[in-house]
């Protein structure tokens, strides 16, 4: 298993990994040809020195991926933190250590870049993922919040469009 920076030719395999679970099927479009937005996002990530998109490759096949972003900030007396996004392992390879190897790589990279912490978010419905991240020393120390904005690809309404007179769900 080799961890390497993703190349443009890996984008379809990465999108397929992102779509390869219950939540991913609702928000990703792995159809050929891929929507142009994926290619634009890849180009932006590749051009940004604070972003790393990596894949795990084994026998010429992409079996895992994650994105690691280095973020400067003033909190905690200034410094850098690392943000992990879009961790995925091929469904047929889960439980074989691919994800653990990816996260250990990310932790090592964060240390090498001088980050004082590494953070991630995971969907509240992903109980197995929570246990996995906890086994690597991550703690559920904060409550995360998100707000979907205009142009949300899933067509969700913006928070400011919610009808205040609508009954609570």
């Amino acid at each position: 298993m080799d961890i390497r920076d993703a190349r443009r030719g890996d984008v379809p395999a990465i999108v397929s990994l992102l779509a390869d679970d219950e939540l991913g099927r609702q928000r990703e479009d792995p159809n050929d040809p891929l929507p142009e937005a994926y290619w634009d996002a890849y180009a932006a990530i590749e051009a940004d020195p604070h972003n790393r998109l990596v894949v795990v490759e084994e026998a010429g096949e992409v079996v895992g991926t994650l994105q690691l972003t280095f973020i400067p900030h003033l909190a905690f007396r200034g410094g850098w933190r690392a943000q992990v996004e879009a961790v995925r392992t091929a469904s047929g390879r889960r439980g074989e250590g691919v994800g653990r190897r990816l996260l250990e790589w990310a932790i090592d990279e964060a240390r090498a870049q001088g980050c004082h912490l590494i953070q991630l978010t995971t969907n509240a419905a992903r109980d197995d993922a929570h246990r996995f991240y906890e086994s690597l020393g991550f703690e559920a120390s904060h409550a995360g919040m998100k707000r979907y904005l205009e142009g949300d690809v899933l067509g969700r309404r913006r928070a400011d469009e919610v009808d205040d007179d609508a009954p609570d769900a």
Side-chain angles (χ1 to χ4, degrees):
M1 262 189 297
D2 292 320
I3 297 175
R4 63 168 174 78
D5 287 307
R7 298 183 286 255
R8 184 173 170 82
D10 296 323
V11 172
I14 293 168
V15 173
S16 290
L17 287 173
L18 296 174
D20 189 23
D21 69 12
E22 182 69 27
L23 296 172
R25 278 188 287 281
Q26 297 172 32
R27 59 184 174 213
E28 304 302 339
D29 181 1
N31 293 310
D32 186 18
L34 287 177
E36 194 62 31
Y38 288 115
W39 301 108
D40 294 344
Y42 172 78
I45 293 165
E46 183 181 45
D48 184 343
H50 300 305
N51 270 287
R52 300 269 313 267
L53 178 62
V54 299
V55 295
V56 178
E57 184 178 55
E58 189 170 65
E61 180 183 0
V62 172
V63 297
T65 188
L66 68 70
Q67 181 176 341
L68 184 62
T69 303
F70 301 105
I71 307 166
H73 59 98
L74 294 177
F76 291 95
R77 301 180 183 180
W80 291 79
R81 66 180 60 198
Q83 175 75 31
V84 178
E85 293 287 340
V87 179
R88 295 293 191 283
T89 299
S91 57
R93 301 297 304 274
R94 293 183 187 140
E96 296 179 15
V98 174
R100 181 166 299 277
R101 177 117 186 253
L102 262 174
L103 266 293
E104 288 171 348
W105 173 90
I107 293 165
D108 289 344
E109 284 295 306
R111 282 190 181 114
Q113 293 295 321
C115 295
H116 69 89
L117 75 87
I118 186 168
Q119 63 190 22
L120 56 81
T121 60
T122 183
N123 191 287
R126 294 184 187 272
D127 293 331
D128 291 340
H130 301 170
R131 285 188 292 277
F132 168 68
Y133 294 129
E134 288 168 355
S135 78
L136 287 161
F138 287 86
E139 299 174 12
S141 62
H142 291 68
M145 300 177 79
K146 294 185 179 186
R147 177 179 171 172
Y148 293 95
L149 303 174
E150 299 84 357
D152 174 26
V153 297
L154 299 181
R156 288 178 284 237
R157 292 169 54 186
R158 297 186 330 246
D160 58 350
E161 291 178 340
V162 175
D163 182 356
D164 290 332
D165 295 327
D168 291 336

